Amino acid sequence: MKEPRKITYLQTIQGFIRLIRWQNLAIIVFTQYFTRFFLIEDKLLSFSHLIETFKERNLFIIALATVLIAASGYIINDYYDVKIDLVNKPERVVIGRYIKRRWALVIHQIFNGSGILLGLLVSRKVALVNLAAVFCLWLYSNQLKRLAFWGNLMVAILTGFSLLVLAVYYPGHQREVWIYAIFSFFITLIREIIKDMEDVKGDEKHGCRTLPIIWGIAQTKLLLYCLIACFISTLFILATQFPNDRIAYIFLLMMFPVGFLTYKLVYADKPRDFSFLSNACKIIMLIGVLTMIFV
């Protein structure tokens, strides 16, 4: 009888790093620091000012708390989705293979508690935002993920939280932060629905009621076209309310990658096509963050 393969400490560490989606966490930190430096701060942009921003204690605490809560969300999401992921992405399964299920729950709880306590070190408002994020993540993973659209909506709201927590704490340029939070909300909502289209096979096998399963791919695409139209309209309406008209021009230029996304969506019909579109949404998000330089 073949003995079970032993898991080394290195494999456990590598699995944990994959589990918490370190690339996504790095994007969160980058976005928060970028927002603080280019969008919120009124000082003259310089190298010394950049160093001051990196040394800012409360910004570091906010970013660390956000990362811990986001990592906790990825852990609990994978905890509930092990069987589904064994169908959709078997090579990426970590919980039960490299990390025991009970340890995944312990780490999840430690990260959540730490995120809330770190928020208290900054302000009560930040702690309340973090507490709301923790609750929403639990609700999403335990209940909403398997419901059509509501799970997608919750993930999009949580993405917006990573910027709104800065608007809660920092008094400057709150309207600009809000418009970028709305941008993040829409592009994340679009991406989450596209990911459901990619994962239909495993979701259907395990009883998930996502939009592509209930409506079919064609009707789900129609919803995405409507969301993209709302996305574009909302951003332009908000942008025209600012005395600084550069935001309107910035979002006008953003129509090129969004238009390309829509074009590719029309012809997408295979999992690899939807995987490409999901990655394209990430790139659009990154481009959107980089435009803060010009606001």
Side-chain angles (χ1 to χ4, degrees), residues 123-143:
S123 76
R124 290 181 181 179
K125 289 182 179 179
V126 171
L128 285 174
V129 172
N130 289 351
L131 180 61
V134 167
F135 173 74
C136 289
L137 280 169
W138 173 84
L139 191 63
Y140 165 74
S141 297
N142 194 37
Q143 300 290 335

Side-chain angles (χ1 to χ4, degrees), residues 34-49:
F34 211 79
T35 302
R36 173 71 175 122
F37 186 71
F38 287 104
L39 202 61
I40 294 174
E41 190 57 75
D42 281 325
K43 294 179 182 178
L44 180 67
L45 300 181
S46 63
F47 180 75
S48 61
H49 173 217

Side-chain angles (χ1 to χ4, degrees), residues 186-187 190-191 194 224-225 228 231 254-268 273-274 276-282 284:
F186 270 108
I187 199 66
I190 291 166
R191 179 172 179 262
I194 288 173
L224 283 173
Y225 300 145
I228 291 170
F231 172 44
M254 287 298 297
M255 293 309 102
F256 288 101
V258 173
F260 175 75
L261 176 77
T262 308
Y263 169 77
K264 297 295 288 185
L265 177 63
V266 171
Y267 297 100
D273 298 331
F274 297 120
F276 172 85
L277 290 171
S278 175
N279 290 327
C281 287
K282 281 187 176 181
I284 292 172

Side-chain angles (χ1 to χ4, degrees), residues 136-137 139-140 144 149-159:
C136 289
L137 280 169
L139 191 63
Y140 165 74
L144 298 182
F149 185 73
W150 293 106
N152 308 129
L153 183 64
M154 185 62 74
V155 173
I157 291 172
L158 287 164
T159 302

Side-chain angles (χ1 to χ4, degrees), residues 92-111:
R92 299 186 188 179
V93 173
V94 173
I95 295 177
R97 179 178 295 170
Y98 301 107
I99 297 173
K100 294 180 179 179
R101 290 175 64 86
R102 64 175 178 272
W103 278 110
L105 280 180
V106 169
I107 295 169
H108 157 72
Q109 292 168 353
I110 291 172
F111 279 13

Side-chain angles (χ1 to χ4, degrees), residues 18 81-82 85-86 89-98:
R18 287 204 311 274
D81 275 2
V82 168
D85 290 340
L86 283 171
K89 302 164 186 175
E91 73 286 352
R92 299 186 188 179
V93 173
V94 173
I95 295 177
R97 179 178 295 170
Y98 301 107

